[in-house]
Amino acid sequence: DEDHLLPVSIAKQLEYDTLVIGFDRFIKIVSKRGVLKPTRKLRSEITFDFELQDAVCLPDSVLGFHSHGLQVSLLVLFIQQ
């Protein structure tokens, strides 16, 4: 059904079994089956302040690009011990 499809604009492979999907203002880290992949150390969802045109994944962050620049969002969760 076309009404339930996400307007995906970014799709990249992060690891063998992990994909980065971008749409609107959101980045989601998912398995190959499309299920969110939450872990204790990494965020599985990131929201940006603008509609994404592209994204670059670094080991600890995601760079989200728009027509006038970029925004950095940390992927790593900082856990207090």
Side-chain angles (χ1 to χ4, degrees):
D1 185 6
E2 293 288 324
D3 295 335
H4 293 94
L5 297 177
L6 291 175
V8 174
S9 58
I10 300 165
K12 300 180 184 235
Q13 189 166 0
L14 188 60
E15 296 173 350
Y16 170 76
D17 62 345
T18 307
L19 303 171
V20 175
I21 304 298
F23 60 96
D24 296 330
R25 301 175 344 173
F26 308 100
I27 291 283
K28 304 228 181 228
I29 312 297
V30 299
S31 70
K32 288 199 268 184
R33 294 181 184 260
V35 178
L36 285 176
K37 285 194 71 170
T39 67
R40 290 178 49 100
K41 296 181 181 181
L42 298 178
R43 297 166 54 190
S44 59
E45 299 178 89
I46 299 172
T47 303
F48 287 88
D49 298 335
F50 51 84
E51 189 167 332
L52 292 165
Q53 292 181 337
D54 200 2
V56 173
C57 297
L58 302 174
D60 63 348
S61 57
V62 175
L63 306 178
F65 291 89
H66 57 91
S67 58
H68 301 290
L70 68 101
Q71 178 180 338
V72 177
S73 184
L74 292 179
L75 200 57
V76 175
L77 293 174
F78 294 99
I79 301 171
Q80 287 185 331
Q81 297 190 13

